[in-house]
Amino acid sequence: MDELSEVFDIMEARGQVTGVFAAQGRWVARAHGESLLKLTVMVRGQARLSADGLDAPLLLEPGDVAILNSRSWLELQGGAGDGPPREIEPEVTDPAGAIAAAGPDGDLVVGGRVLLNPAGQALLLQALPPVGHVRASAAEAPRLRTIADQLVGELAGERMGSDFAVRQYAQLLLLEVLRAYVGQTPLPAGRLRVLTDERLRPAVSRIHADPGRNWKLEELARACAMSRTTFTERFRAAAGVPPLTYLNGWRMLLAQRALRDADVRMRPLAASLGYTSESAFSTAFKREVGESPHRYRTRIRNTGPNRTQPLRPQAHPSQTTPAQ
């Protein structure tokens, strides 16, 4: 079982391209307005990125990605030459035209955002810094630049099936960014960190593979070749919660996915997650999520999951820079 893939699916993470620009000469792009999670991909050229939460600008080089977490403003400056910089806005309706206009030597930037359900927001926004920098030159990111180039190729070519290809490359780009970020930066305590702790992997794998089992601390500690005390302390330090609290939280994430995606009956769902009765499951769900399972299913199906939102570049009322 690949636990990160399962968590990725549960939080309904989707990468969405929201703007492209290519430019020659000196240029600047600015934006104001908060958004939860944005990506800026420096496909070609170099630029300096400034944002609230940064003490000094970040230098983005070819293939680098900046992750912006709930920032209220940002500025990108790039290019070379004399005279004042040209104000740039991303192309959201004709990315192929924007890419073609600059030619092979111009700077090229792709902006995107990450769509998440509430569980995903709680996981990723807590784990990521205000501004993160993933370097394509780092050992942990060998595929990042390749995927960015392939994404641009689909945006520029507008071939048959390109909408589908753009969605897939945006997904892969997001996954590679997270893989590289985990490899480059110490993570705060939370679900993402515990998934990357090799010493705890045997216990986490067992929890994820059989969440309905009545796991005992001694069993999980023995799987990791630790004493109960050492295991509990290490798990709490990595996850931010004790092992059995993590288990209960994982069960509730699985319950939310089942209620979103399938017409499951409550009693079998409760039994599959280790609850002896529907009422015990409903009480645990309401304590964790804030509403009953029935109310949650009705609300989430009426509002619709984020995965139905389009992933192709499109105009957006607040969009003024490629990082949106």
Side-chain angles (χ1 to χ4, degrees):
M1 179 71 70
D2 180 353
E3 290 80 24
L4 182 58
S5 294
E6 192 173 20
V7 169
F8 218 70
D9 178 58
I10 281 179
M11 66 186 185
E12 297 184 295
R14 299 292 185 271
Q16 179 178 11
V17 175
T18 55
V20 177
F21 78 76
Q24 294 181 334
R26 295 184 63 200
W27 55 267
V28 61
R30 300 183 178 92
H32 297 274
E34 185 170 316
S35 182
L36 288 180
L37 205 57
K38 301 178 183 179
L39 301 177
T40 297
V41 186
M42 195 75 210
V43 182
R44 291 201 308 260
Q46 293 183 339
R48 293 191 176 276
L49 183 145
S50 302
D52 52 321
L54 279 178
D55 296 329
L58 288 178
L59 176 62
L60 300 183
E61 298 185 308
D64 285 6
V65 179
I67 312 168
L68 297 108
N69 182 358
S70 305
R71 299 301 86 205
S72 61
W73 67 268
L74 65 91
E75 179 180 275
L76 277 173
Q77 292 191 52
D82 299 326
R86 179 164 60 99
E87 191 86 22
I88 293 288
E89 291 190 6
E91 177 57 61
V92 297
T93 59
D94 183 22
I99 294 169
D105 300 323
D107 296 336
L108 181 59
V109 180
V110 173
R113 60 183 171 182
V114 181
L115 304 175
L116 299 164
N117 63 23
Q121 292 174 18
L123 190 156
L124 277 189
L125 301 185
Q126 172 268 338
L128 297 175
V131 181
H133 183 192
V134 177
R135 295 174 175 85
S137 60
E140 296 85 359
R143 299 182 60 212
L144 198 55
R145 186 168 183 177
T146 299
I147 293 172
D149 288 340
Q150 291 169 328
L151 173 62
V152 170
E154 290 295 336
L155 290 168
E158 294 189 312
R159 297 176 295 174
M160 182 170 56
S162 62
D163 281 353
F164 177 80
V166 166
R167 288 196 296 270
Q168 303 311 307
Y169 283 127
Q171 288 297 94
L172 288 173
L173 181 69
L174 173 59
L175 177 59
E176 288 300 324
V177 165
L178 288 179
R179 283 172 170 170
Y181 179 78
V182 166
Q184 293 178 18
T185 308
L187 295 171
R191 192 173 298 275
L192 198 58
R193 178 173 161 186
V194 79
L195 289 175
T196 64
D197 190 316
E198 291 299 326
R199 291 286 307 280
L200 297 173
R201 178 177 291 275
V204 174
S205 295
R206 283 163 171 77
I207 287 173
H208 281 239
D210 192 1
R213 180 170 171 172
N214 183 24
W215 288 104
K216 305 297 184 183
L217 284 176
E218 292 80 1
E219 292 178 278
L220 297 173
R222 188 163 54 249
C224 297
M226 298 181 192
S227 69
R228 172 174 167 163
T229 300
T230 300
F231 168 73
T232 302
E233 291 176 351
R234 185 180 180 99
F235 199 103
R236 184 192 287 271
V241 294
L244 298 185
T245 302
Y246 177 91
L247 168 61
N248 290 332
W250 179 240
R251 287 171 171 172
M252 292 301 101
L253 287 176
L254 293 174
Q256 289 174 70
R257 179 174 64 178
L259 293 170
R260 286 196 311 266
D261 298 343
D263 293 320
V264 296
R265 296 167 58 189
M266 293 299 169
R267 188 180 298 276
L269 176 60
S272 71
L273 295 176
Y275 294 93
T276 55
S277 68
E278 183 178 337
S279 62
F281 165 66
S282 182
T283 298
F285 189 95
K286 188 171 184 178
R287 183 170 57 245
E288 180 78 13
V289 181
E291 57 187 337
S292 71
H294 292 283
R295 184 181 293 274
Y296 174 85
R297 176 157 60 186
T298 299
R299 178 180 60 79
I300 206 70
R301 293 192 177 186
N302 287 339
T303 57
N306 66 32
R307 64 177 178 274
T308 63
Q309 300 184 33
L311 297 171
R312 191 68 170 163
Q314 58 178 298
H316 188 273
S318 63
Q319 184 172 31
T320 56
T321 80
Q324 288 189 315

